[in-house]
Amino acid sequence: MILKHGIASLLVLCATCCPEDDCATVLCEGPPTLAFDLELDNANVFQNEIYALEDIRISGDNADDFTLELATFDAEKPESILVLQNFDWSIGTSENSLIIADTIVIPLTIEIVLSESDGCCGGIARLKSLVIHGATQEDLNGFYTISLD
């Protein structure tokens, strides 16, 4: 009887102080994605067909690691938001530029840090700061409006 209580106590103790993290069942947030509403005269340049995705490119640090695509976030503005993604963000500060039709250059300074390494979702790239045209973006929600005026 004492042996049963001893084994049961040991199992309970191990279960409470030695948990195994089952990270396979945890859904973690992915790396940062930046979405830009590019406007000229207060109108979206893609929706008004002023520019197309083919007119946009990115230059600067690790430019080959970035992808650009158009996405829909509002049913009234189909495929009108420029999405900048990088599935292999470099930790630190990178200097890049969105180049539109080879004539408009929008400087971007992107600072990436890693999330805390505790738990299953640690060590994931996070946006620490974003500077667009020299203006620090206060709200790092991932959606930004850029005026081309």
Side-chain angles (χ1 to χ4, degrees):
M1 184 69 138
I2 294 176
L3 184 58
K4 283 185 181 180
H5 288 287
I7 292 174
S9 296
L10 186 58
L11 289 174
V12 169
L13 180 64
C14 187
T16 58
C17 73
C18 310
E20 281 189 36
D21 289 335
D22 185 7
C23 292
T25 61
V26 176
L27 182 60
C28 298
E29 182 181 342
T33 297
L34 306 177
F36 300 104
D37 180 12
L38 300 179
E39 294 184 351
L40 182 62
D41 297 327
N42 293 320
N44 182 282
V45 298
F46 301 112
Q47 188 177 15
N48 289 348
E49 299 179 355
I50 297 169
Y51 296 110
L53 180 60
E54 295 76 30
D55 298 322
I56 314 290
R57 64 184 172 89
I58 189 158
S59 69
D61 299 335
N62 304 311
D64 292 339
D65 294 338
F66 290 96
T67 62
L68 293 171
E69 62 184 41
L70 292 180
T72 301
F73 288 93
D74 182 346
E76 295 177 16
K77 300 178 182 179
E79 295 189 348
S80 60
I81 303 300
L82 181 67
V83 176
L84 175 72
Q85 292 181 322
N86 184 334
F87 296 102
D88 191 26
W89 286 101
S90 295
I91 305 311
T93 303
S94 64
E95 299 291 334
N96 296 93
S97 294
L98 283 176
I99 301 174
I100 304 168
D102 292 327
T103 58
I104 300 171
V105 177
I106 301 167
L108 303 172
T109 302
I110 306 166
E111 184 178 3
I112 299 293
V113 296
L114 291 178
S115 62
E116 293 184 24
S117 59
D118 292 343
C120 296
C121 294
I124 297 172
R126 295 283 174 254
L127 180 64
K128 181 176 181 184
S129 68
L130 175 65
V131 178
I132 301 172
H133 263 305
T136 300
Q137 304 303 298
E138 298 298 324
D139 186 7
L140 299 177
N141 64 5
F143 187 83
Y144 308 94
T145 299
I146 299 175
S147 176
L148 304 180
D149 295 323

